[in-house]
Amino acid sequence: MNGNGFEEIYDLVCVGFGPASLAIAVAIHDQGISPRVLYLERQHEFRWHGGMLLPDARMQISFLKDLATLRNPRSQFTFLNYLHSNNRLVAFTNLSTFLPFREEYNAYLAWCASHFDRYVRYGQETISIDPHHGPDGKVESWQIFSRDVTTREITLVKARHVVIAVGGIPKMPPSLSGPSSEGPIIHSSSYVTTIPKVLADKSCKRRVAIVGGGQSAAEIFNNLQQNFENVSVSLYIGDSALRPSDDSPFVNEIFDPDRVDDFYTLPAEAQKETLQRNRATNYGVVRPELLDRLYESMYHQRLHEPDETKWRCKIVPRREVVSHQKRADGTISLQVRNTMNGQVSSSEPPFDLVIAATGYVRDAHKSMLESTKHLLKTGQYDITRDYRIRYRADSVSANCGIWLQGCCQDSHGVSIEDFPFLGG
């Protein structure tokens, strides 16, 4: 084990260096303070949703909700200053849009991240965060163990404050999991990196199934339809139709930072009901302009072929994949349940590739914090209003804590705001 940095106690260690931790780095910089800070990131370089950086995919939120503008419009880390610094501000203005291409927004984030390279250790996967007790028996700091993803060497650092912001882990439903799921079954998060290899030979006919009814599923369906004429695509959705996302002005106010106070004080049942009502903003829904584009493409098929069974690209509603079977030739047969009558049928012919656009789970902190569970005040990961894990006061010093980011919707809703201990 490498004990480099063991003697030095950092003021702050951020586990994960995605947009959340990057926003913290920007806020610290803008305030002109110089804490001892370290960022640990599993990837070898900054890359935001690299597996879904499709050329024509756009952001789903305004560029004004960048890393800095709403907090400090004069910051050098605004999206507009990024455009100005790269001599694209005037040209971008001519687009008359608040929704930049996703690949450009990734480039903006990477540009911001490059300013903090000396504080970031890339290629480090955090495996555990353990308490370190002081002379009085209370936890006075945390030991963060990380593993080099290339050499597998373990490194230990210590910090008084830890922010866990590792993002979501691709969620693969049980119906598509298991030993036979390797190879021809992938998650949408690896689409861009996998497809060029799997569908390299465009002269060979292929069959692809997509499972899911949200933005990622629709974007992949559109990408395959437009760029791979040799591929037949079936999109299986559980709903009766693809649903539009709601980004109307009044609904968008649910993302305002001051909405956290209202949501946090709601009874647990009211919080669940509110989250369910707000699902149409971002979960299992598709941007209306993409829906229009998809419908036009489907109509174009109908124009040339009235028989839908002969279409190259199909949207199959009211279908739930209940299991799969890998055949001897490597193809995948899906067992699909009709949600209207409950009948289960097998996909014929089978598919060469199945793509699960089934979202993410956000519980990576639980395994990292296993050794701290006995310190929890209630035995559960209760989160205070300022996103801090509620540990027992008699066990953890006041000047020592762990904060969570990106996995607190159940307690804080969908609003986004700066961490209070940064003084933002």
Side-chain angles (χ1 to χ4, degrees):
M1 183 178 69
N2 184 355
N4 182 33
F6 181 81
E7 296 302 326
E8 178 181 13
I9 299 180
Y10 288 94
D11 296 310
L12 171 65
V13 167
C14 288
V15 177
F17 193 57
S21 291
L22 181 53
I24 292 175
V26 168
I28 290 174
H29 174 276
D30 287 353
Q31 292 176 49
I33 57 179
S34 302
R36 294 183 301 278
V37 61
L38 176 68
Y39 304 91
L40 301 173
E41 169 56 43
R42 181 178 55 82
Q43 298 184 108
H44 289 290
E45 61 181 2
F46 187 94
R47 193 163 175 82
W48 176 65
H49 289 306
M52 281 299 294
L53 291 178
L54 301 172
D56 56 350
R58 290 186 177 273
M59 292 292 293
Q60 295 176 256
I61 60 173
S62 168
F63 69 80
L64 292 174
K65 295 181 178 181
D66 58 20
L67 295 173
T69 297
L70 298 185
R71 176 181 49 79
N72 178 16
R74 296 181 180 86
S75 171
Q76 75 177 78
F77 296 103
T78 65
F79 179 73
L80 290 179
N81 187 55
Y82 158 75
L83 292 174
H84 176 73
S85 300
N86 287 274
N87 198 32
R88 290 204 305 274
L89 180 57
V90 173
F92 181 84
T93 302
N94 292 334
L95 291 174
S96 299
T97 182
F98 282 92
L99 305 175
F101 290 112
R102 193 179 297 153
E103 59 181 353
E104 181 171 38
Y105 205 77
N106 175 71
Y108 154 67
L109 294 173
W111 175 80
C112 292
S114 67
H115 290 75
F116 305 99
D117 280 345
R118 67 182 182 275
Y119 303 112
V120 186
R121 293 184 188 174
Y122 288 103
Q124 291 291 319
E125 180 180 16
T126 299
I127 53 179
S128 69
I129 301 172
D130 299 347
H132 182 261
H133 299 272
D136 62 354
K138 286 187 175 183
V139 177
E140 65 176 12
S141 64
W142 308 97
Q143 298 181 156
I144 302 100
F145 293 87
S146 64
R147 179 170 49 219
D148 188 294
V149 297
T150 301
T151 67
R152 315 305 290 174
E153 182 180 18
I154 304 296
T155 299
L156 165 64
V157 297
K158 293 172 66 176
R160 292 187 179 88
H161 306 91
V162 177
V163 171
I164 301 178
V166 293
I169 301 172
K171 180 175 67 175
M172 190 68 74
S175 59
L176 295 176
S177 301
S180 64
S181 63
E182 297 179 1
I185 299 180
I186 66 170
H187 189 268
S188 57
S189 59
S190 62
Y191 175 77
V192 168
T193 54
T194 302
I195 288 301
K197 304 171 188 175
V198 177
L199 302 180
D201 186 0
K202 292 193 175 184
S203 65
C204 185
K205 297 292 185 182
R206 290 285 187 267
R207 281 176 49 82
V208 175
I210 306 169
V211 180
Q215 182 73 19
S216 295
E219 288 180 0
I220 291 173
F221 183 80
N222 178 66
N223 183 262
L224 290 172
Q225 187 176 34
Q226 300 299 323
N227 298 291
F228 295 88
E229 294 186 1
N230 61 312
V231 174
S232 297
V233 191
S234 295
L235 172 59
Y236 291 99
I237 62 176
D239 204 344
S240 59
L242 292 171
R243 302 289 177 179
S245 59
D246 186 349
D247 64 349
S248 55
F250 289 108
V251 170
N252 257 340
E253 286 188 343
I254 68 173
F255 296 103
D256 292 355
D258 59 10
R259 290 298 183 96
V260 177
D261 289 324
D262 295 336
F263 186 91
Y264 187 79
T265 57
L266 290 174
E269 193 60 36
Q271 288 178 333
K272 291 180 181 179
E273 292 175 0
T274 301
L275 286 174
Q276 185 61 34
R277 288 198 301 271
N278 293 338
R279 284 187 63 83
T281 60
N282 200 36
Y283 297 98
V285 289
V286 184
R287 293 283 303 181
E289 56 269 25
L290 178 55
L291 288 179
D292 291 342
R293 197 184 319 159
L294 289 179
Y295 197 86
E296 287 180 358
S297 298
M298 303 300 283
Y299 182 82
H300 196 261
Q301 287 187 124
R302 188 181 300 277
L303 177 65
H304 292 277
E305 176 54 71
D307 186 355
E308 294 185 21
T309 63
K310 298 180 181 180
W311 290 2
R312 180 174 68 88
C313 301
K314 305 172 186 176
I315 298 176
V316 189
R318 301 189 182 92
R319 295 296 188 275
E320 178 186 15
V321 176
V322 294
S323 64
H324 73 281
Q325 181 180 9
K326 188 174 182 179
R327 299 192 174 189
D329 61 359
T331 59
I332 294 290
S333 176
L334 297 178
Q335 283 67 55
V336 183
R337 184 175 68 89
N338 185 317
T339 60
M340 293 291 289
N341 56 30
Q343 292 183 350
V344 176
S345 59
S346 181
S347 58
E348 293 293 342
F351 294 101
D352 300 289
L353 177 67
V354 177
I355 303 171
T358 46
Y360 300 81
V361 292
R362 302 183 183 276
D363 60 359
H365 60 282
K366 294 181 179 179
S367 60
M368 292 182 195
L369 298 174
E370 184 68 27
S371 66
T372 74
K373 288 183 67 175
H374 67 286
L375 302 171
L376 294 170
K377 186 174 182 179
T378 65
Q380 304 294 325
Y381 288 102
D382 290 340
I383 312 301
T384 65
R385 171 61 184 81
D386 68 351
Y387 299 90
R388 185 174 186 165
I389 296 178
R390 201 186 304 273
Y391 289 115
R392 297 198 313 271
D394 62 349
S395 299
V396 179
S397 299
N399 188 35
C400 176
I402 298 177
W403 285 257
L404 300 180
Q405 176 64 359
C407 55
C408 302
Q409 286 197 6
D410 288 347
S411 57
H412 289 67
V414 296
S415 304
I416 300 174
E417 63 178 1
D418 294 324
F419 279 95
F421 66 75
L422 294 176

